[in-house]
Amino acid sequence: MKTSTQFITLALTLTAATTAHAAPAAPIFSCCSTEEHQHIARPDDHAPISVMGDHTHSKGGWMLSYRYMNMQMDGMRNGTERVSSSDVFAADGGYTVSPEWMTMDMHMLGAMYAPTEKLTLMLMANYIETEMEHSIVSQMAATMINGGETKFTTQSSGLGDLKLSALYRFYLQDNQKAHFGLGLSLPTGSIDEKDTLPAMGGAVSQQMPASMQLGSGTFDLLPSLTYVQQFTNWSWGAQANGTIRLQDDNSNDYRLGHKFELLSWAGYNLTDWLGLNGGLSYGYTGKLKGDQKDVNLMGPNGRSVPTAFNENSGGERIDVLLGINLLKPSGRFAGHRLSLDLRLPLWQDLNGYQLETDSTLTLGWSKAF
């Protein structure tokens, strides 16, 4: 924790030092046009597409957006070290099943509207598709619990949690602005997803662990604080955001861990329609609390699967962000924005035995009106 915090602090300090020596310009932000000074849209008006709540709008302005996110997880990790399925099977207590890989696809529809110059409202709905591959400790165990098959796959899909947020711009000075956000995540995503899972005597339909569910099952608070500074051809920004679970447990007797993220990015406009961006992100996720009701905990090797146990949840990670923003400045499709963002892990420290994250790709479209 100390090493990762020092790393992020150094990165943000270097970014701030660079901007302090840059020649200040005073572009008109998209949130803050006036009759005398009209905003000219630029690719770096927005942060990397995976950063939520990064900007606000002028009074009466609104925006529609669509994002597609693909997350790839492959191979197990214990702390900062990669481990094999054999290591998982041999762990204390003995696991009968080990995850091998997981993919998550998320489709997100968003809308933003500004009823005043300083206040912007935001809504985000999503549809999630998740798939996870598992292996069983031995042929003998597979015969006992899964008809002799040593591998099996679980799947879930459906609507996720609905998010409502308000962004309030409290600072605007020359080429700098800042706003804070406060949102609420509503537990609209299912936490009762089942699939055919191994069991003594043969596979049957069972409750899946929390990692395969579509929502948190709790009302969650979504605070954020964002700062942006623009120059003639480039900009930079920083954001702190979190997810705070407002209930002790959900209807299945558990609560996901609180989350915190600190990130910083910079964008450079190559032309009036093309911009590149990059940044760093530090993320922390707390451990799952409580019991996962109806999730099987036992197997021929002792325990069932790591995802059924609280100690195998939460951790820290540092990602690098690489992205591109395309903006149509004029013509028939003026104002349409296409963006791509790739997050790659530089460092991961996970609690217990968990799948490591290999990449997160986000593609998006937006149009402001």
Side-chain angles (χ1 to χ4, degrees), residues 249-269:
D249 56 28
N250 57 30
S251 60
N252 283 334
D253 300 335
Y254 68 87
R255 189 211 74 195
L256 298 179
H258 302 307
K259 299 175 71 173
F260 170 77
E261 182 184 30
L262 177 64
L263 60 93
S264 181
W265 70 89
Y268 182 80
N269 298 320

Side-chain angles (χ1 to χ4, degrees), residues 61-79:
W62 57 290
M63 188 186 82
L64 297 177
S65 66
Y66 165 77
R67 290 175 172 88
Y68 163 74
M69 185 202 76
N70 173 266
M71 182 174 65
Q72 298 286 334
M73 308 175 77
D74 191 3
M76 296 293 285
R77 182 175 291 263
N78 184 9

Side-chain angles (χ1 to χ4, degrees), residues 7 12 14 53-54 74 106 131 182 194 200 228 254 257 270 295 315 331 340:
F7 183 90
L12 296 179
L14 291 174
D54 62 298
D74 191 3
M106 183 182 293
E131 184 175 11
L182 191 62
K194 296 177 172 62
M200 294 301 295
V228 177
Y254 68 87
L270 298 176
V295 172
L340 179 149

Side-chain angles (χ1 to χ4, degrees), residues 1-21:
M1 176 71 175
K2 182 177 180 181
T3 301
S4 61
T5 303
Q6 291 174 335
F7 183 90
I8 290 295
T9 301
L10 176 61
L12 296 179
T13 301
L14 291 174
T15 304
T18 300
T19 59
H21 290 85

